[in-house]
Amino acid sequence: MTAVRNCLVVGGGVGGLSAAIAFAQRGVEVTLIEKRPDFNVPGVGLGQPACALRVYDRLGVLPPILDIGVHYGHMDVFDPDYNLIMHHDFQMGGGGLPAFCALARVDLHRILLDRAVALGVTIRMATALSGIGEGDGPARVTFEDGGTGTYDLVAGFDGIRSSVRDWMVGDMFGPRPSGFGAWRIQVDRPSHVTGMEFLQGIGGKAGAIPIGPDRMYLFNIRPERFDEFFAQADMHRLLRERLAQFGGYVREIADSLTPQSPIVYGALEPFLLPGPWHRGRAVVGGDAAHVVPPHLTAGAAMAAEDAWALARAVLDGEGGIEDRLAAYGRARFARNAFVYSFARDWLAAEQAVDSPAALAAAAAEMRRNGSRRIAVADRFLEDNPL
Ligand SMILES: Cc1cc2nc3c(=O)[nH]c(=O)nc-3n(C[C@H](O)[C@H](O)[C@H](O)COP(=O)(O)OP(=O)(O)OC[C@H]3O[C@@H](n4cnc5c(N)ncnc54)[C@H](O)[C@@H]3O)c2cc1C
């Protein structure tokens, strides 16, 4: 007999939708609440490594993802003038899977949402969690519209400012400003951009990920004041200034920016919840439990893995429900801690390049070690028995 007959999933991002599917396809009655009024998610694209694609396969959504996404197996690092520093062939994928498949975030959401709806998940938009009751047994929750419900499990995939995590640990643990921010924009893809690319600059980096037959997204990661507010009308000018040191197609894109350019900016606020990842019948996963710098393009991938692992632990694990949730948290903390520390080290190393001499030294080091270092992360990500 399963320990859980009904489940409330809080949050309709990649993690929440994946969790809803993972539970629903095992016969659990799932309600998903999302505080946004629609799924028109901001954010421009997601590279999904093979480990995430394996999860999507088990969730029954791999074919449409592979159909719509761009497959790639390498990354290149350049200097600001677009001279190649380092080439890396990802050691991931195989058996019919690419190392990476990248697609627009809205497309991944739509594919996951369609599958959740087809499985009978009840989706309630513009609905936010407001509280979880104390006490043993099934969780009694309240919603911001005044409604209530009782659930065997509350799966909090409600993102970086998670209400479920707040109920579990308050502000004892939570995201902290890193001092860096990420600018992104979806643009036309030059035909020679066929994999992930970075241009390492002085005081920041730019780069691109292909996400469609003729589309890619361009990003710029650099120091930014945490409390800075950028008006949308100024963003094209600000991003153009920030990209001034870069040549190649980055220069052309910078020159083409206009006030209408759909630029997205977000501060980087890394965070890893040490544990436990549950309290009573409430549990967290995805960005609610860990927010990693985007260097391994694996944040959403880890959210999908968390979702799958949670359903497996809850439905197939041993002991009472809290034992199962504790086992899930321990296993996922270990895996996410690797991704978190690897990505943070990479962020720190690239953002420490603050002079021409530092850039020359970083380039020499990358030529020596870069590909072998990334291969360590590749092998770790691949090593994930589902
Ligand atoms: C610059 C950048 C680039 C990135 N690139 C990649 C990449 O290439 N590949 C990759 O795998 N990852 C990438 N990531 C990471 C990825 O975006 C996140 O890790 C991922 O989206 C987290 O998914 P999630 O479902 O956990 O959270 P979210 O996507 O944040 O979803 C949480 C949802 O919960 C909702 N919510 C919040 N509170 C409540 C509430 N109280 N009640 C109801 N709903 C609520 C929110 O509205 C939201 O829709 C990148 C991140 C950044 C910053």
Side-chain angles (χ1 to χ4, degrees):
M1 196 172 103
T2 61
V4 164
R5 280 153 309 192
N6 73 350
C7 169
L8 177 70
V9 175
V10 186
V14 171
L17 287 165
S18 298
I21 296 167
F23 279 105
Q25 65 184 11
R26 293 286 303 274
V28 176
E29 185 189 324
V30 180
T31 300
L32 181 148
I33 59 167
E34 166 55 52
K35 73 176 178 187
R36 292 176 197 276
D38 57 47
F39 275 104
N40 185 15
V41 281
V44 283
L46 290 170
Q48 292 297 270
C51 58
L53 300 176
R54 292 191 189 95
V55 172
Y56 297 137
D57 189 23
R58 280 160 178 76
L59 297 178
V61 291
L62 184 60
I65 289 173
L66 291 181
D67 259 11
I68 202 168
V70 174
H71 305 184
Y72 56 85
H74 70 274
M75 72 176 279
D76 290 314
V77 178
F78 299 91
D79 72 10
D81 296 321
Y82 207 47
N83 300 305
L84 185 68
I85 296 175
M86 182 207 91
H87 172 86
H88 174 67
D89 289 312
F90 289 111
Q91 297 181 21
M92 297 192 271
L97 283 185
F100 275 90
C101 177
L103 65 172
R105 191 183 280 263
V106 281
D107 288 331
L108 180 56
H109 275 238
R110 182 184 43 73
I111 290 166
L112 291 168
L113 179 64
D114 287 351
R115 174 77 175 142
V117 169
L119 286 164
V121 172
T122 301
I123 310 272
R124 293 176 54 190
M125 301 302 294
T127 304
L129 182 83
S130 70
I132 303 176
E134 302 290 341
D136 297 333
R140 289 185 306 284
V141 308
T142 51
F143 304 114
E144 279 184 2
D145 62 7
T148 59
T150 302
Y151 300 91
D152 291 331
L153 183 71
V154 176
F157 283 83
D158 48 348
I160 187 167
R161 318 228 181 271
S162 165
S163 304
V164 178
R165 184 188 69 234
D166 192 42
W167 179 76
M168 285 167 47
V169 298
D171 60 2
M172 180 166 51
F173 299 107
R176 303 276 182 262
S178 65
F180 303 104
W183 297 75
R184 285 175 283 174
I185 181 168
Q186 204 184 115
V187 291
D188 287 342
R189 169 162 73 97
S191 56
H192 60 84
V193 178
T194 55
M196 198 187 307
E197 299 199 349
F198 296 150
L199 283 75
Q200 175 65 54
I202 296 171
K205 77 170 179 190
I209 294 183
I211 55 168
D214 51 9
R215 300 292 279 168
M216 67 179 192
Y217 82 81
L218 180 84
F219 57 83
N220 177 217
I221 298 178
R222 48 164 288 119
E224 297 289 0
R225 278 177 51 120
F226 179 67
D227 54 359
E228 196 78 67
F229 169 74
F230 302 112
Q232 196 70 38
D234 297 333
M235 280 190 161
H236 68 294
R237 183 179 51 76
L238 296 170
L239 182 55
R240 188 181 303 142
E241 286 167 12
R242 283 157 170 73
L243 295 175
Q245 67 173 308
F246 298 106
Y249 62 85
V250 179
R251 167 77 50 79
E252 287 166 29
I253 292 165
D255 289 344
S256 73
L257 296 174
T258 70
Q260 286 71 43
S261 299
I263 298 167
V264 177
Y265 171 77
L268 298 183
E269 301 173 77
F271 147 76
L272 176 63
L273 182 63
W277 283 17
H278 76 284
R279 178 180 163 205
R281 299 288 186 114
V283 61
V284 287
D287 275 15
H290 46 78
V291 181
V292 295
H295 293 61
L296 290 176
T297 57
M302 290 302 107
E305 280 192 9
D306 287 352
W308 177 258
L310 176 63
R312 287 292 307 271
V314 166
L315 301 175
D316 301 331
E318 291 183 355
I321 180 76
E322 292 212 36
D323 299 318
R324 298 175 189 210
L325 296 177
Y328 153 79
R330 279 194 300 273
R332 293 308 300 168
F333 174 82
R335 187 153 166 87
N336 279 288
F338 174 92
V339 175
Y340 175 81
S341 71
F342 198 99
R344 283 214 75 157
D345 281 356
W346 193 341
L347 172 71
E350 83 191 6
Q351 298 293 332
V353 174
D354 59 358
S355 67
L359 178 59
E365 195 281 332
M366 263 187 271
R367 276 189 206 98
R368 232 176 22 252
N369 297 322
S371 183
R372 285 186 303 142
R373 184 163 52 234
I374 297 165
V376 171
D378 293 350
R379 287 192 289 272
F380 182 88
L381 288 174
E382 280 291 272
D383 184 19
N384 180 35
L386 290 173

Short mmCIF file of all heavy atoms in Angstrom, two decimals, residues 10-16 33-36 41 45-49 105 109 127-129 144 157-163 182 184 209 217 267-268 285-288 290 292 294 297-303, ligand 1:
data_model
loop_
_atom_site.label_atom_id
_atom_site.label_comp_id
_atom_site.label_asym_id
_atom_site.label_seq_id
_atom_site.Cartn_x
_atom_site.Cartn_y
_atom_site.Cartn_z
N VAL A 10 3.19 22.36 -4.76
CA VAL A 10 3.17 23.82 -4.71
C VAL A 10 4.20 24.34 -5.70
O VAL A 10 5.40 24.12 -5.53
CB VAL A 10 3.47 24.36 -3.29
CG1 VAL A 10 3.30 25.88 -3.24
CG2 VAL A 10 2.57 23.68 -2.27
N GLY A 11 3.74 25.01 -6.77
CA GLY A 11 4.66 25.57 -7.77
C GLY A 11 4.59 24.83 -9.08
O GLY A 11 4.66 23.60 -9.11
N GLY A 12 4.45 25.58 -10.16
CA GLY A 12 4.30 24.99 -11.49
C GLY A 12 5.50 25.23 -12.38
O GLY A 12 5.34 25.41 -13.59
N GLY A 13 6.73 25.23 -11.82
CA GLY A 13 7.94 25.28 -12.64
C GLY A 13 8.30 23.88 -13.13
O GLY A 13 7.48 22.94 -13.05
N VAL A 14 9.51 23.73 -13.63
CA VAL A 14 9.95 22.42 -14.13
C VAL A 14 9.87 21.38 -13.01
O VAL A 14 9.41 20.25 -13.21
CB VAL A 14 11.40 22.51 -14.66
CG1 VAL A 14 11.96 21.14 -14.99
CG2 VAL A 14 11.44 23.42 -15.89
N GLY A 15 10.29 21.77 -11.79
CA GLY A 15 10.27 20.82 -10.67
C GLY A 15 8.86 20.41 -10.29
O GLY A 15 8.57 19.21 -10.15
N GLY A 16 7.96 21.39 -10.12
CA GLY A 16 6.60 21.08 -9.68
C GLY A 16 5.84 20.26 -10.71
O GLY A 16 5.15 19.28 -10.37
N ILE A 33 -0.78 23.71 -7.41
CA ILE A 33 -1.16 25.13 -7.37
C ILE A 33 0.00 25.98 -7.85
O ILE A 33 1.17 25.68 -7.59
CB ILE A 33 -1.62 25.58 -5.96
CG1 ILE A 33 -0.51 25.37 -4.92
CG2 ILE A 33 -2.91 24.90 -5.56
CD1 ILE A 33 -0.78 26.07 -3.60
N GLU A 34 -0.33 27.02 -8.58
CA GLU A 34 0.68 27.94 -9.12
C GLU A 34 0.18 29.35 -8.89
O GLU A 34 -0.94 29.68 -9.27
CB GLU A 34 0.89 27.65 -10.61
CG GLU A 34 1.64 28.74 -11.37
CD GLU A 34 3.01 29.09 -10.77
OE1 GLU A 34 3.82 28.19 -10.53
OE2 GLU A 34 3.24 30.31 -10.54
N LYS A 35 1.04 30.17 -8.29
CA LYS A 35 0.54 31.50 -7.93
C LYS A 35 0.43 32.44 -9.13
O LYS A 35 -0.32 33.40 -9.09
CB LYS A 35 1.39 32.12 -6.82
CG LYS A 35 2.75 32.59 -7.22
CD LYS A 35 3.39 33.27 -6.02
CE LYS A 35 4.80 33.73 -6.35
NZ LYS A 35 5.52 34.25 -5.19
N ARG A 36 1.16 32.14 -10.22
CA ARG A 36 1.02 32.99 -11.42
C ARG A 36 -0.34 32.73 -12.08
O ARG A 36 -0.85 31.61 -12.02
CB ARG A 36 2.09 32.64 -12.46
CG ARG A 36 3.48 32.97 -12.09
CD ARG A 36 4.40 32.46 -13.19
NE ARG A 36 5.76 32.38 -12.74
CZ ARG A 36 6.60 33.40 -12.74
NH1 ARG A 36 6.21 34.57 -13.18
NH2 ARG A 36 7.84 33.25 -12.31
N VAL A 41 6.03 31.79 -18.62
CA VAL A 41 7.15 31.95 -17.69
C VAL A 41 8.24 32.84 -18.27
O VAL A 41 8.64 32.68 -19.40
CB VAL A 41 7.77 30.58 -17.35
CG1 VAL A 41 6.95 29.86 -16.33
CG2 VAL A 41 7.95 29.73 -18.61
N GLY A 45 15.65 30.31 -22.04
CA GLY A 45 15.94 28.98 -22.56
C GLY A 45 16.60 28.12 -21.51
O GLY A 45 17.14 28.62 -20.52
N LEU A 46 16.57 26.83 -21.72
CA LEU A 46 17.17 25.89 -20.77
C LEU A 46 17.94 24.82 -21.54
O LEU A 46 17.37 24.15 -22.41
CB LEU A 46 16.09 25.20 -19.94
CG LEU A 46 15.35 26.05 -18.91
CD1 LEU A 46 14.17 25.28 -18.35
CD2 LEU A 46 16.29 26.48 -17.79
N GLY A 47 19.21 24.64 -21.20
CA GLY A 47 19.96 23.49 -21.69
C GLY A 47 19.70 22.35 -20.72
O GLY A 47 19.86 22.51 -19.51
N GLN A 48 19.30 21.20 -21.24
CA GLN A 48 19.00 20.07 -20.35
C GLN A 48 19.99 18.93 -20.62
O GLN A 48 20.01 18.35 -21.71
CB GLN A 48 17.57 19.59 -20.58
CG GLN A 48 16.53 20.61 -20.13
CD GLN A 48 16.58 20.87 -18.63
OE1 GLN A 48 15.92 20.21 -17.84
NE2 GLN A 48 17.42 21.84 -18.21
N PRO A 49 20.82 18.62 -19.61
CA PRO A 49 21.81 17.56 -19.79
C PRO A 49 21.14 16.18 -19.86
O PRO A 49 19.97 16.02 -19.48
CB PRO A 49 22.69 17.69 -18.54
CG PRO A 49 21.85 18.39 -17.54
CD PRO A 49 20.89 19.25 -18.30
N ARG A 105 12.22 27.89 -22.54
CA ARG A 105 11.62 27.49 -21.26
C ARG A 105 10.10 27.30 -21.40
O ARG A 105 9.53 26.35 -20.86
CB ARG A 105 11.92 28.56 -20.21
CG ARG A 105 11.59 28.17 -18.80
CD ARG A 105 11.86 29.34 -17.88
NE ARG A 105 13.25 29.50 -17.54
CZ ARG A 105 13.80 29.04 -16.41
NH1 ARG A 105 13.07 28.40 -15.53
NH2 ARG A 105 15.06 29.22 -16.16
N HIS A 109 7.85 23.93 -20.40
CA HIS A 109 6.69 24.03 -19.50
C HIS A 109 5.43 23.48 -20.18
O HIS A 109 4.65 22.76 -19.56
CB HIS A 109 6.46 25.48 -19.09
CG HIS A 109 7.28 25.88 -17.92
ND1 HIS A 109 6.75 26.36 -16.75
CD2 HIS A 109 8.61 25.86 -17.73
CE1 HIS A 109 7.72 26.62 -15.90
NE2 HIS A 109 8.85 26.34 -16.47
N THR A 127 -3.23 30.57 -7.66
CA THR A 127 -3.53 30.05 -6.31
C THR A 127 -2.20 29.89 -5.57
O THR A 127 -1.30 29.21 -6.05
CB THR A 127 -4.22 28.68 -6.40
OG1 THR A 127 -5.39 28.80 -7.21
CG2 THR A 127 -4.61 28.18 -5.02
N ALA A 128 -2.10 30.53 -4.41
CA ALA A 128 -0.85 30.46 -3.64
C ALA A 128 -1.10 29.81 -2.29
O ALA A 128 -2.17 29.95 -1.70
CB ALA A 128 -0.28 31.86 -3.45
N LEU A 129 -0.09 29.11 -1.83
CA LEU A 129 -0.13 28.53 -0.49
C LEU A 129 0.03 29.66 0.52
O LEU A 129 0.87 30.55 0.32
CB LEU A 129 1.04 27.55 -0.34
CG LEU A 129 1.13 26.82 0.98
CD1 LEU A 129 0.20 25.61 0.95
CD2 LEU A 129 2.55 26.37 1.26
N GLU A 144 -4.20 31.23 -0.20
CA GLU A 144 -4.38 32.68 -0.01
C GLU A 144 -5.79 33.16 -0.31
O GLU A 144 -6.22 34.19 0.18
CB GLU A 144 -3.34 33.46 -0.85
CG GLU A 144 -2.00 33.50 -0.15
CD GLU A 144 -0.94 34.32 -0.86
OE1 GLU A 144 -1.23 34.90 -1.93
OE2 GLU A 144 0.19 34.34 -0.35
N PHE A 157 7.73 22.74 -4.51
CA PHE A 157 8.64 23.10 -5.61
C PHE A 157 8.33 24.54 -5.99
O PHE A 157 8.08 24.86 -7.13
CB PHE A 157 8.43 22.14 -6.80
CG PHE A 157 9.06 20.79 -6.59
CD1 PHE A 157 8.40 19.80 -5.88
CD2 PHE A 157 10.33 20.51 -7.08
CE1 PHE A 157 8.98 18.55 -5.67
CE2 PHE A 157 10.93 19.26 -6.88
CZ PHE A 157 10.25 18.28 -6.17
N ASP A 158 8.33 25.38 -4.95
CA ASP A 158 7.85 26.75 -5.14
C ASP A 158 8.98 27.77 -5.23
O ASP A 158 8.80 28.94 -4.87
CB ASP A 158 6.81 27.13 -4.07
CG ASP A 158 7.21 26.80 -2.66
OD1 ASP A 158 8.20 26.06 -2.48
OD2 ASP A 158 6.54 27.26 -1.73
N GLY A 159 10.13 27.31 -5.71
CA GLY A 159 11.16 28.24 -6.16
C GLY A 159 11.96 28.90 -5.06
O GLY A 159 11.87 28.57 -3.87
N ILE A 160 12.76 29.86 -5.50
CA ILE A 160 13.79 30.45 -4.63
C ILE A 160 13.19 31.09 -3.36
O ILE A 160 13.80 31.04 -2.31
CB ILE A 160 14.64 31.45 -5.44
CG1 ILE A 160 15.82 31.97 -4.65
CG2 ILE A 160 13.80 32.58 -5.99
CD1 ILE A 160 16.86 32.70 -5.49
N ARG A 161 12.01 31.68 -3.45
CA ARG A 161 11.38 32.28 -2.25
C ARG A 161 10.26 31.38 -1.75
O ARG A 161 9.14 31.81 -1.55
CB ARG A 161 10.86 33.69 -2.56
CG ARG A 161 11.83 34.48 -3.40
CD ARG A 161 12.13 35.87 -2.93
NE ARG A 161 13.06 36.47 -3.89
CZ ARG A 161 14.39 36.37 -3.79
NH1 ARG A 161 14.95 35.79 -2.76
NH2 ARG A 161 15.18 36.89 -4.72
N SER A 162 10.58 30.14 -1.57
CA SER A 162 9.61 29.10 -1.24
C SER A 162 8.85 29.36 0.06
O SER A 162 9.44 29.57 1.12
CB SER A 162 10.38 27.78 -1.11
OG SER A 162 9.60 26.80 -0.47
N SER A 163 7.53 29.30 -0.02
CA SER A 163 6.70 29.40 1.19
C SER A 163 6.80 28.12 2.03
O SER A 163 6.71 28.16 3.26
CB SER A 163 5.23 29.58 0.83
OG SER A 163 5.05 30.68 0.01
N ALA A 182 22.73 37.98 -13.97
CA ALA A 182 22.71 37.38 -15.31
C ALA A 182 21.73 38.14 -16.19
O ALA A 182 20.56 38.31 -15.83
CB ALA A 182 22.31 35.91 -15.23
N ARG A 184 19.96 38.17 -19.99
CA ARG A 184 19.67 37.18 -21.05
C ARG A 184 18.74 37.78 -22.09
O ARG A 184 17.87 38.58 -21.77
CB ARG A 184 18.98 35.94 -20.45
CG ARG A 184 19.92 35.04 -19.69
CD ARG A 184 19.16 33.93 -19.02
NE ARG A 184 18.47 34.37 -17.83
CZ ARG A 184 17.64 33.60 -17.13
NH1 ARG A 184 17.40 32.37 -17.51
NH2 ARG A 184 17.04 34.06 -16.05
N ILE A 209 23.66 29.90 -25.94
CA ILE A 209 23.20 28.52 -26.02
C ILE A 209 22.15 28.45 -27.12
O ILE A 209 21.19 29.23 -27.10
CB ILE A 209 22.60 28.05 -24.68
CG1 ILE A 209 23.67 28.01 -23.60
CG2 ILE A 209 21.95 26.68 -24.82
CD1 ILE A 209 23.19 27.50 -22.26
N TYR A 217 19.97 31.78 -27.07
CA TYR A 217 19.93 32.91 -26.14
C TYR A 217 21.33 33.32 -25.77
O TYR A 217 22.25 32.51 -25.68
CB TYR A 217 19.00 32.67 -24.96
CG TYR A 217 19.49 31.89 -23.78
CD1 TYR A 217 20.28 32.48 -22.81
CD2 TYR A 217 19.11 30.57 -23.59
CE1 TYR A 217 20.69 31.77 -21.70
CE2 TYR A 217 19.51 29.85 -22.49
CZ TYR A 217 20.31 30.45 -21.55
OH TYR A 217 20.72 29.75 -20.46
N ALA A 267 19.34 38.67 -10.48
CA ALA A 267 20.52 38.54 -9.63
C ALA A 267 20.79 37.06 -9.37
O ALA A 267 19.86 36.25 -9.35
CB ALA A 267 20.28 39.27 -8.31
N LEU A 268 22.05 36.70 -9.20
CA LEU A 268 22.38 35.31 -8.82
C LEU A 268 22.41 35.23 -7.30
O LEU A 268 23.16 35.96 -6.65
CB LEU A 268 23.73 34.90 -9.42
CG LEU A 268 23.83 34.89 -10.94
CD1 LEU A 268 25.20 34.38 -11.40
CD2 LEU A 268 22.73 34.04 -11.58
N GLY A 285 11.97 20.63 -2.92
CA GLY A 285 12.89 20.22 -3.98
C GLY A 285 13.04 21.35 -4.97
O GLY A 285 12.35 22.36 -4.90
N GLY A 286 13.94 21.18 -5.93
CA GLY A 286 14.20 22.23 -6.92
C GLY A 286 14.77 23.47 -6.26
O GLY A 286 15.45 23.39 -5.21
N ASP A 287 14.50 24.63 -6.86
CA ASP A 287 15.08 25.88 -6.35
C ASP A 287 14.62 26.20 -4.93
O ASP A 287 15.24 27.04 -4.26
CB ASP A 287 14.73 27.06 -7.28
CG ASP A 287 15.71 27.18 -8.44
OD1 ASP A 287 16.46 26.23 -8.71
OD2 ASP A 287 15.71 28.25 -9.10
N ALA A 288 13.58 25.58 -4.46
CA ALA A 288 13.19 25.78 -3.06
C ALA A 288 14.26 25.23 -2.11
O ALA A 288 14.39 25.67 -0.98
CB ALA A 288 11.84 25.09 -2.79
N HIS A 290 17.66 24.38 -3.39
CA HIS A 290 19.03 24.68 -3.88
C HIS A 290 18.94 25.58 -5.09
O HIS A 290 18.16 25.33 -6.01
CB HIS A 290 19.77 23.39 -4.25
CG HIS A 290 18.93 22.45 -5.07
ND1 HIS A 290 18.71 22.64 -6.42
CD2 HIS A 290 18.22 21.35 -4.74
CE1 HIS A 290 17.93 21.68 -6.87
NE2 HIS A 290 17.59 20.88 -5.87
N VAL A 292 21.58 27.13 -7.86
CA VAL A 292 23.00 27.04 -8.26
C VAL A 292 23.29 28.07 -9.36
O VAL A 292 22.43 28.35 -10.19
CB VAL A 292 23.36 25.62 -8.76
CG1 VAL A 292 23.24 24.62 -7.64
CG2 VAL A 292 22.50 25.20 -9.93
N PRO A 294 24.42 29.27 -12.93
CA PRO A 294 23.99 28.51 -14.12
C PRO A 294 25.11 27.82 -14.89
O PRO A 294 24.89 27.39 -16.02
CB PRO A 294 23.32 29.59 -14.99
CG PRO A 294 23.92 30.88 -14.55
CD PRO A 294 24.28 30.73 -13.11
N THR A 297 24.49 24.50 -16.33
CA THR A 297 23.13 24.48 -16.91
C THR A 297 22.35 23.28 -16.36
O THR A 297 21.82 22.47 -17.12
CB THR A 297 23.14 24.47 -18.46
OG1 THR A 297 23.87 23.37 -18.93
CG2 THR A 297 23.72 25.75 -19.01
N ALA A 298 22.30 23.22 -15.04
CA ALA A 298 21.71 22.02 -14.43
C ALA A 298 20.70 22.32 -13.32
O ALA A 298 20.25 21.38 -12.67
CB ALA A 298 22.82 21.12 -13.89
N GLY A 299 20.31 23.58 -13.11
CA GLY A 299 19.37 23.87 -12.02
C GLY A 299 18.01 23.22 -12.25
O GLY A 299 17.46 22.56 -11.36
N ALA A 300 17.46 23.41 -13.45
CA ALA A 300 16.17 22.80 -13.76
C ALA A 300 16.32 21.28 -13.87
O ALA A 300 15.40 20.53 -13.51
CB ALA A 300 15.61 23.38 -15.05
N ALA A 301 17.48 20.86 -14.36
CA ALA A 301 17.74 19.41 -14.45
C ALA A 301 17.70 18.77 -13.05
O ALA A 301 17.10 17.70 -12.86
CB ALA A 301 19.11 19.17 -15.09
N MET A 302 18.30 19.47 -12.07
CA MET A 302 18.28 18.94 -10.70
C MET A 302 16.86 18.98 -10.13
O MET A 302 16.47 18.10 -9.34
CB MET A 302 19.25 19.72 -9.80
CG MET A 302 20.71 19.48 -10.12
SD MET A 302 21.23 17.74 -10.00
CE MET A 302 21.42 17.32 -11.72
N ALA A 303 16.08 19.99 -10.52
CA ALA A 303 14.68 20.05 -10.05
C ALA A 303 13.90 18.85 -10.57
O ALA A 303 13.12 18.22 -9.83
CB ALA A 303 14.04 21.37 -10.51
C1 LIG B 1 20.70 32.81 -15.84
C2 LIG B 1 20.17 31.43 -15.55
C3 LIG B 1 20.30 30.44 -16.52
C4 LIG B 1 19.85 29.15 -16.26
N1 LIG B 1 20.02 28.19 -17.21
C5 LIG B 1 19.67 26.92 -16.94
C6 LIG B 1 19.85 25.88 -17.91
O1 LIG B 1 20.32 26.13 -19.03
N2 LIG B 1 19.51 24.60 -17.57
C7 LIG B 1 18.97 24.29 -16.35
O2 LIG B 1 18.69 23.10 -16.10
N3 LIG B 1 18.75 25.26 -15.42
C8 LIG B 1 19.08 26.54 -15.69
N4 LIG B 1 18.85 27.52 -14.76
C9 LIG B 1 18.23 27.16 -13.47
C10 LIG B 1 16.72 27.01 -13.58
O3 LIG B 1 16.15 28.16 -14.17
C11 LIG B 1 16.08 26.77 -12.21
O4 LIG B 1 16.91 25.97 -11.43
C12 LIG B 1 14.73 26.07 -12.38
O5 LIG B 1 13.87 26.85 -13.17
C13 LIG B 1 14.09 25.77 -11.03
O6 LIG B 1 12.84 25.16 -11.23
P1 LIG B 1 11.82 25.03 -10.02
O7 LIG B 1 10.62 24.35 -10.57
O8 LIG B 1 12.50 24.44 -8.84
O9 LIG B 1 11.48 26.53 -9.61
P2 LIG B 1 10.77 27.71 -10.43
O10 LIG B 1 11.00 27.59 -11.89
O11 LIG B 1 11.19 28.98 -9.77
O12 LIG B 1 9.22 27.48 -10.19
C14 LIG B 1 8.62 27.75 -8.94
C15 LIG B 1 7.17 28.11 -9.19
O13 LIG B 1 6.48 28.19 -7.93
C16 LIG B 1 5.59 29.29 -7.97
N5 LIG B 1 5.33 29.68 -6.58
C17 LIG B 1 6.16 30.33 -5.74
N6 LIG B 1 5.60 30.45 -4.52
C18 LIG B 1 4.36 29.90 -4.60
C19 LIG B 1 3.30 29.73 -3.68
N7 LIG B 1 3.39 30.15 -2.39
N8 LIG B 1 2.16 29.10 -4.08
C20 LIG B 1 2.06 28.66 -5.37
N9 LIG B 1 3.04 28.80 -6.30
C21 LIG B 1 4.18 29.40 -5.91
C22 LIG B 1 6.31 30.32 -8.80
O14 LIG B 1 5.41 31.26 -9.37
C23 LIG B 1 6.98 29.46 -9.87
O15 LIG B 1 6.20 29.30 -11.03
C24 LIG B 1 19.26 28.83 -15.00
C25 LIG B 1 19.11 29.83 -14.04
C26 LIG B 1 19.56 31.13 -14.31
C27 LIG B 1 19.40 32.17 -13.25
#
